[in-house]
């Protein structure tokens, strides 16, 4: 099924999992997926290490195939194009298609230190056009409520986002954010720019301070004062920090659903316990 169809019927709830760093540990993600099945996923997406070699591709493919073919859950495979040739992209896409995957999250991937490696795609919109010309996949793109960290401004980034929907992306998934007002302002600007596809809000429940510091460095998201106070108060108490992180995420989700959000995409960090707590708190609201 093409996941863009889901938004016509309901507020979508999806989950993201990632292949483990350690080669050969893919089985651990199967356990996560088995647990997530109980939390009514509309789909599960699987990340893919940009510029990754064969091992990365194999892990993403085998997890995606497991989700779709063993559990019968709709699946979205991520595909970053940085450093890929057309032939390599074709090869990956053929393999996803062969595994029955119908949905691709088409990405550029993070720029490595030292600049872009040689490849045939400069930006995600180039990959999206390529896929739409040659295949029948449903194509999804990433978006950034606070602007992508390389872009000059949010407005500039939205112009570039429009290239992705013009190229054929039918739905968007946002980067995580901790202040819903950024997301609402972003949605208004998207609509003004003529971007009218469904946008899922990316929510990451915080489990520890280190994880957040990494995210802030990587993505440049804003931490509201109440969020920073929460981290300072509980940083030395992991259980309390986890509970506070879940409560914060639930609060964000309740507000988003009340405002009519198209969907919630939960960055599970492969932690089914946290996903369960959130699902139990919000599933009757969807
Ligand atoms: P692009 O859309 O190409 O944008 C990158 C930058 O270039 C932006 O600043 C944009 O404004 C600008 N730009 C875009 N198009 C043009 C153009 N035509 N001309 C000039 N400038 C342009 N990374 C992974 O490696 N693997 C994953 O599995 C993964 N999953 C992700 C899932 C989600 C939901 C999100 C939000 C991000 C994910 N990422 C993943 C991270 C992503 O690869 C990085 O954020 C990356 O830096 C940008 O990818 P993009 O597809 O948004 O790139």
């Amino acid at each position: 099924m093409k996941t863009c169809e889901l938004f016509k019927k309901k507020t979508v709830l999806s989950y993201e999992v990632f292949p483990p760093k350690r080669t050969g540990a893919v089985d651990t993600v199967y356990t996560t997926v088995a647990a997530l099945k109980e939390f009514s996923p509309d789909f599960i997406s699987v990340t893919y290490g940009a510029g990754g070699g064969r091992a990365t591709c194999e892990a993403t493919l085998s997890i995606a195939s497991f989700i779709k073919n063993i559990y019968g859950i709709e699946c979205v495979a991520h595909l970053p194009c940085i450093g890929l040739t057309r032939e390599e992209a074709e090869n990956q896409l053929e393999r996803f298609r062969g595994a029955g995957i119908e949905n691709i999250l088409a990405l550029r991937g993070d720029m490595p230190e030292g600049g872009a490696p040689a490849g045939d795609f400069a930006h995600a919109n180039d990959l999206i056009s390529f896929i739409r010309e040659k295949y029948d996949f449903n194509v999804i793109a990433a978006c950034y409520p606070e602007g992508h960290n390389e872009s000059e401004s949010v407005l500039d980034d939205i112009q570039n986002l429009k290239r992705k929907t013009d190229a054929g992306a039918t739905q968007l998934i946002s980067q995580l954010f901790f202040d819903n007002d950024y997301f609402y302002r972003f949605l208004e600007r998207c609509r003004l720019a003529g971007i009218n596809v469904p946008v899922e809000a990316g929510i990451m429940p915080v489990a520890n301070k280190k994880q957040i510091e990494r995210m802030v460095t990587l993505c440049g998201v804003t931490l509201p004062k109440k969020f920073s106070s929460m981290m300072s108060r509980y940083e030395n108490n992991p259980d309390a920090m986890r509970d506070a992180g879940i409560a914060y995420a639930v609060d964000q989700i309740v507000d988003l659903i009340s405002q009519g959000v198209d969907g919630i995409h939960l960055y599970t960090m492969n932690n089914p316990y946290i996903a369960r707590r959130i699902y139990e708190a919000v599933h009757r609201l969807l």
Side-chain angles (χ1 to χ4, degrees), residues 97-278:
R97 184 164 67 174
I101 306 302
E102 294 176 69
N103 305 283
I104 302 288
L105 174 49
L107 299 147
R108 184 196 67 183
D110 279 323
M111 194 63 80
E113 270 176 42
D120 287 335
F121 305 94
H123 288 286
N125 65 289
D126 301 322
L127 177 65
I128 295 168
S129 300
F130 178 78
I131 299 174
R132 293 302 299 247
E133 273 163 29
K134 297 188 92 125
Y135 297 93
D136 186 36
F137 287 110
N138 175 47
V139 183
I140 302 155
C143 65
Y144 303 85
E146 299 184 51
H148 182 262
N149 54 9
E150 286 168 36
S151 62
E152 305 232 318
S153 67
V154 179
L155 291 182
D156 194 49
D157 199 36
I158 286 179
Q159 292 310 317
N160 289 325
L161 181 60
K162 178 82 167 44
R163 297 178 200 255
K164 301 202 262 195
T165 53
D166 286 349
T170 59
Q171 68 187 86
L172 302 172
I173 302 180
S174 91
Q175 185 170 70
L176 60 103
F177 56 90
F178 297 107
D179 179 345
N180 289 359
D181 284 343
Y182 280 105
F183 185 76
Y184 300 137
R185 263 198 303 275
F186 167 75
L187 279 187
E188 270 173 34
R189 287 167 166 166
C190 282
R191 302 317 178 208
L192 286 172
I195 297 169
N196 293 310
V197 299
V199 185
E200 275 190 281
I203 298 294
M204 178 178 282
V206 175
N208 62 64
K209 195 175 178 196
K210 238 195 202 136
Q211 170 199 359
I212 281 307
E213 283 166 353
R214 209 181 133 257
M215 287 301 156
V216 171
T217 316
L218 200 69
C219 323
V221 292
T222 304
L223 300 184
K225 193 168 177 306
K226 69 173 179 177
F227 186 89
S228 305
S229 310
M230 174 186 92
M231 285 208 305
S232 306
R233 181 163 178 106
Y234 302 119
E235 64 181 308
N236 298 319
N237 182 342
D239 288 349
M241 174 68 109
R242 187 195 57 204
D243 284 357
I246 291 169
Y248 194 95
V250 168
D251 192 44
Q252 273 192 285
I253 294 170
V254 171
D255 180 57
L256 286 159
I257 295 174
S258 309
Q259 298 292 328
V261 72
D262 295 311
I264 302 291
H265 187 68
L266 202 62
Y267 294 106
T268 68
M269 305 306 285
N270 291 358
N271 185 329
Y273 172 80
I274 291 180
R276 177 171 67 74
R277 295 265 312 265
I278 291 188

